[in-house]
Amino acid sequence: MYKTIIGLEIHAQLSTKTKAFCSCQADVFELEPNTAICPVCTGQPGALPVLNKTVVEYAVKAAVAFNCSINLRSSFDRKNYFYPDLPKGYQITQYFTPIAENGYLEFKLDGNEKRVRIRRIHIEEDAGKMIHQDADSISGASGSLVNLNRCGVPLIEIVTEPDISSPKEARVFMELLRDTLRAIDICSGDMEKGALRCDANISVVDEESGTSSNRVEVKNINSFKFVEKALEFERERIIKALEQGTDVDRETRTWNFTKRETISMRSKEEENDYRYFPEPDLPPLQLSGEFVEKVRKNLPELPQQRVQRLIQQYGIPEYDASVLGSDVKISLFFEEVSRVTGKPKDASNWIMTELMREINQRGIPIDEMPIGPEHFKVLFQLLDQGKISAKIAKELFPLMVETGKTPDQLVKERGMEQISDEKLIEEIVLRAMESNPKAVQQYRDGKKNVMGYFVGAVMKETRGKANPAVVNEIVRRLLES
């Protein structure tokens, strides 16, 4: 048996208007290269950094949300290394005294409670980005370009203790962390835009022999699925090495999503490789207790608090509450639909299936969808009144989203009202029985599943509009008469 030990280092981009230490625009994802830079963020001689106050506020919000102790006095340091996308030759970070320490995040996985401790949260700035031509990496590239727009973009780094014991647990932790950052409105959580990135450290212990493997870092993972896949791959690679009586190298690797494997980047740096020293151009950061308490008091409802409230207030299952409660906008929409319709469980079912499918397929956020709670109210009324079947309701839903029309409008326009006319349904069933006496006899000889043939015949002739309950009752009665 092998025990897996995983610790995460997560970089979250703070959603500030300007960068961490200068007035350049911080949201640079769609900008032309090198158009959001200045002497400060590109480290020109004589340029001095000035700390963005909102960065501090957002970092404290994260610290409170993740149950950390906040250091009222923290400081900034220089992390020295040379990369072409870091023109200063160092990164401003908080190494010796971070803004927050000793927090945790709790969640439930497969019915078990889990607590992952957070060692520290510190403020730092991002580096720029290399763009390699004709290759995924510098190796084999015909040339490389540098975009410095991300230099100075504000980040918090959230470092966990090695408390995570499986790749799946790492993914679930990351998802909850993303949901929490979004709930407190400090980070978009958009991994595809680089707003949330993860470095994962993994090692394996043979529980029988007590042999522990070297620790491997998988760097810059930018998708929840890849977090799990990369760690699964790495765990299997390490176990294979241990079973062969060897060990993997202590190194930094990266996830190659094309080959679905990790590949070596470089040997693992040690902390002393970075020659940390105090940042001479920024004074220590001193916070007041009143400031921290104000942030704590104004913190919005967190995802796990919301899940518990939805369960208690609306009586929906925990699974439904966890799906709906993970996103503030979807949760608010559910609550409004529940209020308007008085049917929280029906609202939950329809939002989790039909609505979320439309959101994913059309790529439209929920607050821009052309349907609202009133559409659900009319839909539920049509179902309750037996004017449409559940099948027709599901056919109507994408039309509602496409046109913005209410379901009663669409039923009228398209003649989709459910048929409950017993006389008409009886006539169709009798015709089907006359045309297939063999199936009738099979039913009467005990082959009861033949009934589906006659139900299907009615549905085919009425183009799915016949009331299923009425059809089933009539088919059974006539076959058994």
Side-chain angles (χ1 to χ4, degrees):
M1 290 290 289
Y2 294 94
K3 179 182 177 183
T4 305
I5 300 172
I6 297 170
L8 301 178
E9 298 170 7
I10 299 141
H11 287 94
Q13 179 180 338
L14 301 176
S15 305
T16 55
K17 291 181 180 176
T18 55
K19 292 184 179 179
F21 303 110
C22 65
S23 59
C24 290
Q25 180 179 339
D27 182 6
V28 299
F29 182 72
E30 295 180 333
L31 296 185
E32 289 293 316
N34 300 312
T35 56
I37 56 175
C38 73
V40 173
C41 56
T42 55
Q44 303 302 308
L48 294 175
V50 176
L51 179 59
N52 183 337
K53 183 179 177 182
T54 309
V55 169
V56 178
E57 180 189 343
Y58 284 7
V60 172
K61 286 178 81 171
V64 173
F66 296 131
N67 307 291
C68 292
S69 299
I70 295 166
N71 293 319
L72 296 182
R73 183 182 174 85
S74 60
S75 57
F76 291 93
D77 309 290
R78 290 188 180 182
K79 180 181 181 180
N80 297 277
Y81 61 97
F82 176 77
Y83 281 148
D85 56 1
L86 187 67
K88 284 193 292 193
Y90 63 86
Q91 182 182 22
I92 299 177
T93 184
Q94 293 187 302
Y95 177 69
F96 294 107
T97 312
I99 194 166
E101 298 172 280
N102 303 322
Y104 62 88
L105 195 55
E106 293 177 325
F107 56 96
K108 191 179 280 188
L109 179 61
D110 299 330
N112 299 314
E113 298 285 348
K114 178 73 183 186
R115 171 181 283 206
V116 174
R117 293 170 295 160
I118 292 171
R119 183 182 301 167
R120 56 187 284 149
I121 296 177
H122 58 259
I123 298 169
E124 65 182 25
E125 61 179 341
D126 207 350
K129 184 178 181 182
M130 295 289 289
I131 302 157
H132 306 297
Q133 295 177 311
D134 307 318
D136 293 333
S137 65
I138 197 166
S139 175
S142 60
S144 295
L145 304 170
V146 181
N147 180 2
L148 299 179
N149 277 351
R150 286 196 67 89
C151 285
V153 166
L155 309 173
I156 52 172
E157 182 171 352
I158 303 164
V159 182
T160 78
E161 297 289 352
D163 291 343
I164 298 170
S165 52
S166 74
K168 181 180 179 183
E169 210 172 275
R171 176 180 58 77
V172 172
F173 173 84
M174 279 289 295
E175 289 174 344
L176 177 58
L177 183 132
R178 186 271 315 268
D179 294 342
T180 304
L181 293 170
R182 283 180 170 172
I184 60 177
D185 199 21
I186 67 164
C187 173
S188 71
D190 294 333
M191 295 186 85
E192 70 277 11
K193 295 181 180 178
L196 195 65
R197 308 191 299 269
C198 170
D199 301 341
N201 290 286
I202 179 170
S203 60
V204 170
V205 177
D206 183 338
E207 293 188 296
E208 291 182 5
S209 66
T211 306
S212 180
S213 76
N214 279 329
R215 180 159 52 90
V216 176
E217 181 184 45
V218 186
K219 206 161 182 63
N220 283 335
I221 312 173
N222 62 356
S223 124
F224 296 121
K225 183 171 72 175
F226 292 163
V227 167
E228 188 170 0
K229 294 293 181 190
L231 288 172
E232 283 175 352
F233 178 89
E234 201 54 32
R235 179 175 62 182
E236 294 307 312
R237 191 179 73 89
I238 296 172
I239 290 173
K240 187 177 179 181
L242 292 179
E243 289 179 342
Q244 292 173 345
T246 60
D247 197 355
V248 294
D249 292 332
R250 180 178 166 83
E251 63 179 350
T252 297
R253 299 176 70 85
T254 187
W255 174 247
N256 184 313
F257 67 90
T258 305
K259 296 182 177 177
R260 295 290 191 271
E261 63 183 25
T262 64
I263 55 175
S264 180
M265 289 176 70
R266 57 179 181 264
S267 60
K268 183 85 178 78
E269 295 96 339
E270 301 294 337
E271 288 191 339
N272 57 16
D273 290 335
Y274 294 118
R275 295 176 291 112
Y276 287 99
F277 65 84
E279 163 60 58
D281 293 334
L282 284 168
L285 175 60
Q286 184 72 50
L287 303 177
S288 69
E290 290 77 13
F291 173 77
V292 174
E293 281 310 304
K294 185 179 177 183
V295 172
R296 189 187 306 278
K297 190 175 177 182
N298 292 321
L299 204 68
E301 186 179 45
L302 300 178
Q304 289 170 305
Q305 295 169 337
R306 191 180 309 119
V307 167
Q308 292 306 312
R309 182 175 61 77
L310 293 180
I311 293 170
Q312 293 170 5
Q313 188 171 341
Y314 296 97
I316 58 175
E318 184 174 356
Y319 173 78
D320 295 27
S322 63
V323 173
L324 298 167
S326 65
D327 185 290
V328 176
K329 291 178 180 176
I330 288 177
S331 174
L332 290 173
F333 189 83
F334 159 74
E335 292 194 69
E336 188 60 17
V337 174
S338 297
R339 186 188 68 77
V340 169
T341 64
K343 291 175 170 287
K345 182 58 182 140
D346 289 348
S348 166
N349 290 344
W350 279 86
I351 290 170
M352 288 198 305
T353 55
E354 305 305 317
L355 181 59
M356 292 182 81
R357 184 187 300 122
E358 292 297 322
I359 288 172
N360 291 333
Q361 288 180 350
R362 296 172 190 270
I364 303 173
I366 195 166
D367 52 352
E368 294 179 18
M369 292 292 272
I371 62 171
E374 286 298 327
H375 287 75
F376 285 86
K377 181 180 180 180
V378 176
L379 187 71
F380 293 174
Q381 286 173 342
L382 292 174
L383 283 164
D384 289 345
Q385 293 163 0
K387 291 184 177 177
I388 59 171
S389 65
K391 180 174 181 296
I392 291 176
K394 289 183 180 179
E395 291 175 5
L396 275 174
F397 201 84
L399 297 174
M400 289 160 52
V401 175
E402 189 176 323
T403 64
K405 293 181 178 178
T406 56
D408 55 342
Q409 282 179 293
L410 290 166
V411 166
K412 188 175 180 181
E413 286 177 8
R414 300 179 183 237
M416 298 173 78
E417 192 160 345
Q418 184 167 254
I419 298 170
S420 298
D421 185 330
E422 294 187 15
K423 187 177 178 183
L424 174 62
I425 294 171
E426 258 190 35
E427 290 174 0
I428 298 171
V429 176
L430 287 171
R431 281 202 300 274
M433 290 171 68
E434 286 171 10
S435 64
N436 198 340
K438 184 179 176 183
V440 175
Q441 193 57 49
Q442 285 176 327
Y443 180 88
R444 289 172 178 166
D445 289 342
K447 196 174 180 181
K448 300 301 183 186
N449 61 359
V450 174
M451 181 175 161
Y453 165 79
F454 296 100
V455 172
V458 178
M459 288 302 178
K460 184 178 179 182
E461 188 159 337
T462 60
R463 290 182 293 166
K465 293 191 291 182
N467 185 321
V470 176
V471 173
N472 276 283
E473 190 275 329
I474 291 174
V475 168
R476 186 178 290 104
R477 173 165 54 80
L478 292 177
L479 285 173
E480 295 179 355
S481 62

